[in-house]
Amino acid sequence: QVQLVESGGGLVQTGGSLRLSCAASGNIVSINVMGWYRQAPGKQRELVATINSGGSTRYADSVKGRFTISRDNAKNTVYMQMNSLKPEDTAVYYCNAGVKTNAAMWYVTVWGQGTQVTVSS
């Protein structure tokens, strides 16, 4: 069974920075796309950034130029550096990955538990 464990969330002031980490563990054969989503109270979950196995990245327009997603395949870990944070970035951030295990014939989607990011005005 695969688990995604997130860390790095917290409380920062407007203009500050945070670095989120998400480590996958379990009987992993391979990982395809990894990404970050976020959900604010009263809003639906939205995609923030993705990175595929070749290192190609995509970002939501609202975070382009401020956030950077990266991955360490040897550690099965995805990161997101968040700079110039704004109050509207306040949300629970969720890690996501497509994972193949010894028990699965194909990739399955796995979600982390979420980590809170709060940006004060």
Side-chain angles (χ1 to χ4, degrees), residues 10-111:
L11 173 64
V12 298
Q13 294 181 326
T14 298
S17 298
L18 286 172
R19 181 176 170 86
L20 303 183
S21 299
C22 174
S25 62
N27 296 321
I28 299 171
V29 175
S30 63
I31 301 178
N32 195 354
V33 177
M34 306 185 79
W36 290 94
Y37 293 71
R38 67 186 181 187
Q39 186 168 25
K43 295 185 177 181
Q44 63 183 357
R45 190 172 300 184
E46 64 175 344
L47 188 148
V48 178
T50 63
I51 182 168
N52 68 13
S53 59
S56 296
T57 59
R58 292 185 177 183
Y59 298 92
D61 289 340
S62 60
V63 306
K64 284 182 179 178
R66 300 188 298 120
F67 292 9
T68 302
I69 188 171
S70 61
R71 64 192 287 171
D72 185 337
N73 291 328
K75 297 183 182 296
N76 290 328
T77 300
V78 63
Y79 307 93
M80 189 162 68
Q81 178 69 41
M82 305 186 295
N83 298 325
S84 302
L85 284 163
K86 306 173 182 179
E88 49 262 47
D89 295 319
T90 296
V92 177
Y93 284 72
Y94 297 91
C95 179
N96 172 274
V99 181
K100 183 184 292 185
T101 68
N102 290 332
M105 296 296 102
W106 198 243
Y107 290 93
V108 297
T109 300
V110 182
W111 290 89

